[in-house]
Amino acid sequence: MTEPTVNEDQNPLTKPKFIISAVVVAIIVALGITLALLPKGGGNPAAEPSNSGSATASTQPSAAAAASVCGLPSGNQAKPATAPTDTKWELVGKVAAPTSPTEFGPGKTEANGLRSCFAHSPTGALYAAANMTALSAAGKADLVYEQLALPSPERDAVLKSSPTAAPNSVTAQLAGFTFRSYEADRAVIDLAFKGANGTFVSIPVPLQWYGGDWKFVVPATGDTGARQITDLGGYIEWSGV
């Protein structure tokens, strides 16, 4: 596939404001990096990010917290090999997010737009990652860090930095996914987003099951490995737009 042409003036994926809106899953803003400076995908995925953060023993999930906080069933524990069937989508701002309130989540949607409570399963983790990115792009990164991030010094540092709201002009949409890794209480899900001009970007999302829900893990390095990619090779295509 021919590599899409990157136009810095038109492509929202390479603009600093988009990077700020995506910080909840990429943590790029902490390093002052824009996608224009990241390596373009050449078939070799970025190194798998650490999803352990620097959480202490007090922040590790306990047996009492294994069940979903809103009662969602754990369901199938196999990683999806194809796109979830009959996916329903809702716009969060301008980004389409998957929704399955009684099976995968979000089981809770607050008046302020916060979407939480996802099933303790690979598909539940996938839905959590997609909804977290959509919330961030909709200008709710602060809520995601406050409510959906694993407690850690890294998360506290980001909260002190006052995450910046996303611009309303962000038009990137989820295009596909792949699982970097999955264990009972940890996952790294790589989401591919497509910009309005056809450019793709990969954003790995590290998650940990904590307090009855999937939480975003702010990496100790401050970088999950987000990068521009040429196409959806290696990803399972999945989109609502």
Side-chain angles (χ1 to χ4, degrees), residues 11-156:
N11 177 23
L13 292 173
T14 59
K15 292 183 178 181
K17 287 185 179 180
F18 178 82
I19 301 307
I20 292 172
S21 72
V23 69
V24 65
V25 293
I27 314 300
I28 300 171
V29 72
L31 300 181
I33 298 174
T34 66
L35 286 181
L37 301 179
L38 293 175
K40 296 180 180 179
N44 296 320
E48 180 175 314
S50 169
N51 65 336
S52 61
S54 60
T56 63
S58 63
T59 64
Q60 298 302 313
S62 64
S68 164
V69 70
C70 67
L72 291 182
S74 295
N76 191 342
Q77 293 300 304
K79 290 185 293 186
T82 59
T85 59
D86 300 324
T87 303
K88 295 182 179 179
W89 301 84
E90 292 179 350
L91 284 178
V92 178
K94 294 184 178 181
V95 179
T99 180
S100 177
T102 62
E103 188 173 7
F104 304 123
K108 293 182 179 180
T109 300
E110 308 294 342
N112 60 5
L114 186 70
R115 299 161 75 85
S116 64
C117 187
F118 296 89
H120 195 178
S121 68
T123 304
L126 173 61
Y127 272 61
N131 276 269
M132 288 178 186
T133 56
L135 282 168
S136 178
K140 298 184 182 297
D142 54 345
L143 283 176
V144 177
Y145 274 110
E146 291 170 2
Q147 303 296 326
L148 301 180
L150 185 73
S152 70
E154 291 78 18
R155 173 243 193 187
D156 294 342

Side-chain angles (χ1 to χ4, degrees), residues 192-209:
F193 282 82
K194 183 178 181 180
N197 73 341
T199 302
F200 294 97
V201 63
S202 157
I203 303 179
V205 185
L207 300 170
Q208 181 170 314
W209 185 259

Side-chain angles (χ1 to χ4, degrees), residues 211-237:
D213 202 1
W214 288 107
K215 301 294 185 181
F216 172 65
V217 180
V218 181
T221 62
D223 180 13
T224 66
R227 73 196 193 284
Q228 189 173 316
I229 55 178
T230 58
D231 54 41
L232 292 176
Y235 290 83
I236 297 172
E237 294 189 26

